[in-house]
Amino acid sequence: MSIETLQAEVNRLRLQLETLQAKNASEPIEIGNYLLARLAQLKVTKMFGVPGDFNLSFLDLVEDHPTVDWVGNCNELNSAYAADGYARVKEDSIGVVLTTFGVGELSAINGVAGAFSEIVPVLHVVGVPSTEQQSSKALLHHTLGDGRYDAYIKAAENFTISQGIITDKDTAAAHIDRVLADCMTRARPVYLTLPTNLVYEKISSERLKIPLSRAQPPNDPEVEAFVLDEVEKLVQGAEDSVIFLVDACAIRHDARQEVIELVKKTGFPVYVAPMGKTVVPENYERYGGIYMGSVSHPDVKEKVESAKLILSIGSIKSDFNTGNFTYSIPTARTVEFHSDHTKVQHGVFPAVGMKQILPRLTARLGPAARKLEVPAFRAILPTENSDTITHAWLWPRLSKFFQPKDVVVGETGTSNFGLLEVPFPEGAVFVSQLLWGSIGWAVGSTLGAAFAAREIGMNRTMLFIGDGSLQLTVQELSVMLRHGLRPIVFVLNNAGYTIERCIRGPNRKYNDISNWNWTGLLSVLGDAELAVSQSHTVHTKAELSALLDTPSFGDTSKMQLVEVMMQMHDAPRALMFQTEMGAKSNPYNDAI
């Protein structure tokens, strides 16, 4: 057992003892400030949300707090998206969204559900009516008018991994600590209610002396030893015909460094699933690119599927992540490492998590003979006669614009699939929502990602989004301007919902949208004098290349918005392949 894991267990037991003893010797603290103190310990510096009458008393404490800043969003949905993006980039912390009772929390629930789906740690704090009002079932505004004060809690139970319903001051601290620990260790959203009459109630601060930990429970040592023996035998039997396939849960469950150390020590080729892009540095010599079943490039598909042993780490086997379930890696040739179990061929071993077993596997395995060749993952500009900006040309060209430690956010649709096919430089981070796929998510996520990037010393933040998706959540660009963030926003103007056109109805009007004056947007949203922003429209490859090569464009001295004019029915190769397979599996397809 590692020192970190042992200390986490000691602290967990100490907190349980504190709950039983209910010490009151320490300096009293308001319940609201207790929560803020815990968030500060977890390195949270930004809280997203919208003010409402049931959270205003807590907001006074937030605004007065020395390190936790209130951001303030245009709506609750966007605030949940922002908390999601913040947590993805600031991997050792969590995202926090604050809403009011009923109307506010229901507006945020889509964003919270997306974080649940994609395994992102987000705390949803809800300011609720007083305990007396709840007990008497008062006919308050924001209620359903029938006295059901638990209706929203029941809704939240479906989209959060843990709920803390504070009803008295004696158990408030224990509720707060429990949901925060669940949020970190299980990497999913949690829900916490804060009644108006309890925000300023004072409780003991003794528990704050015991830090919360994101460390996973210790593996069963005997089972872990058996699993290590079995994996080592399989690796030896495969005679170095072994590859790694890494996915998003390696990030979500804090195993990125363990993965990189294992990959680099052994030298086995490494590939990633789409949701796992940038888990492994893409300039690493043994990195081969993205594997997504039949959608993969042929050389990647052949290398992965011909390996005698696949060591899969943190996999999420969703449709878009697996090329519409076209993985061809038999269970008999696969070992799967997950956060809370390991699967060796057909055998499942609970309570053997990857965070602890991977370093021990690294110690066991020596460098490989490197018999397997790794296809070069490069961005190659195609030779095209036209100066029209195509997806085949756009993404390789943009990859040359990327710099180390950039944060790149891709929207559901053409942007996500285009960015998957080009390499990122050292330390760059890709942020996407491939499983939940809520269009418009990327704008709010960019807000949170940009804050996190600034805090942890990353480079530029970039957003790639279609004109249709941007119309859903465009207001958050104003929040970015207000807080001095300087992202680079690429708006792909292809006259509507291209991903939907690829799926069905390429010429149907339900996939059309109104065309906006995109280059006038930032002046409307807060920069009337254009003092801190610039906007551009590019129609040709030459115009876009000239802009990308202009030093002042990429130096983040101003927020940049680029309208990229593209053809309506053009799309990245991977997206067209994926949607074609998906359309064939839909029962309505034969009615087209």
Side-chain angles (χ1 to χ4, degrees), residues 126-149:
V126 182
V128 299
S130 71
T131 54
E132 181 180 348
Q133 289 170 322
Q134 293 183 55
S135 297
S136 66
K137 298 184 178 181
L139 196 62
L140 296 179
H141 61 288
H142 300 341
T143 68
L144 296 171
D146 60 2
R148 286 185 297 143
Y149 274 82

Side-chain angles (χ1 to χ4, degrees), residues 109-128:
I109 208 165
N110 175 38
V112 175
F116 185 96
S117 172
E118 300 250 338
I119 316 175
V120 180
V122 170
L123 167 66
H124 184 187
V125 183
V126 182
V128 299

Side-chain angles (χ1 to χ4, degrees), residues 49-63:
V50 177
D53 51 352
F54 292 114
N55 65 28
L56 294 178
S57 58
F58 178 57
L59 268 174
D60 286 341
L61 296 179
V62 176
E63 188 164 318

Side-chain angles (χ1 to χ4, degrees), residues 4-5 8-9 12 15 42 91-94 119-122 161-162 177-190 211-218 249 251-255 338-340 353-356:
E4 180 186 11
T5 303
E9 280 295 289
R12 183 182 63 81
L15 284 171
L42 300 181
E91 295 174 13
D92 61 347
S93 187
I94 65 171
I119 316 175
V120 180
V122 170
I161 202 71
S162 181
D177 290 349
R178 174 178 54 80
V179 297
L180 288 176
D182 288 343
C183 185
M184 292 186 297
T185 58
R186 302 172 74 179
R188 288 192 192 267
V190 295
L212 303 177
S213 173
R214 65 186 302 188
Q216 297 292 323
C249 280
I251 304 175
R252 307 289 196 266
H253 293 287
D254 192 31
H338 295 277
S339 64
D340 58 358
M354 60 182 167
K355 174 73 175 176
Q356 295 169 48

Side-chain angles (χ1 to χ4, degrees), residues 304-318:
V304 171
E305 295 177 2
S306 65
K308 292 181 181 178
L309 182 65
I310 297 94
L311 300 178
S312 169
I313 305 175
S315 68
I316 301 173
K317 295 179 181 178
S318 67

